[in-house]
């Protein structure tokens, strides 16, 4: 089991895009390095916390709507063209 967990951790770390995983209760269970760098929040501040309660610089309604769609369709959802505020306070686009 530890070997499988290590492999998943390596895979998540190697993805060149933001990857945020949620457990069935909506708590963050995966937060990769790209998410940390882009959104300015270390994994330690996000893991185990409900995504909607994190102070993330993006359109919360759009993100929550996509999460609900993911749950309803039981499929992965890719967000494209998601506006957010960059760490330098300038507007940016994720996706």
């Amino acid at each position: 089991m530890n070997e499988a967990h290590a492999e998943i951790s390596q895979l998540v770390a190697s993805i060149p895009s933001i990857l945020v995983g949620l457990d069935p209760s909506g708590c963050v269970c995966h937060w990769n390095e790209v998410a940390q760098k882009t959104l300015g929040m270390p994994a330690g501040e996000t893991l185990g916390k409900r995504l909607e309660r994190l102070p993330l610089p993006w359109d919360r309604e759009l993100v929550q709507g996509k999460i609900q769609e993911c749950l309803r369709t039981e499929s992965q959802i890719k967000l494209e063209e998601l506006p957010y505020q960059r760490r330098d306070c300038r507007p940016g686009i994720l996706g």
Side-chain angles (χ1 to χ4, degrees):
M1 186 70 163
N2 285 338
E3 186 176 323
H5 180 70
E7 288 177 12
I8 290 171
S9 294
Q10 282 182 321
L11 177 64
V12 168
S14 71
I15 294 174
S17 300
I18 292 173
L19 178 74
V20 176
L22 303 178
D23 67 15
S25 67
C27 292
V28 176
C29 58
H30 296 290
W31 189 265
N32 72 351
E33 184 74 24
V34 180
Q36 291 180 68
K37 288 179 181 176
T38 304
L39 300 171
M41 292 190 73
E45 292 179 15
T46 64
L47 295 173
K49 297 183 180 162
R50 296 190 56 83
L51 184 67
E52 73 268 10
R53 293 194 178 144
L54 296 175
L56 295 167
W58 60 31
D59 182 338
R60 292 178 186 284
E61 276 188 41
L62 177 62
V63 172
Q64 281 303 118
K66 290 294 186 177
I67 291 169
Q68 292 305 314
E69 180 183 340
C70 178
L71 293 170
R72 188 174 56 255
T73 62
E74 296 183 1
S75 62
Q76 295 179 358
I77 301 295
K78 182 176 181 178
L79 286 170
E80 308 232 10
E81 306 281 324
L82 176 63
Y84 81 110
Q85 184 175 355
R86 296 172 10 165
R87 291 172 56 182
D88 62 6
C89 296
R90 294 181 15 215
I93 300 289
L94 298 174

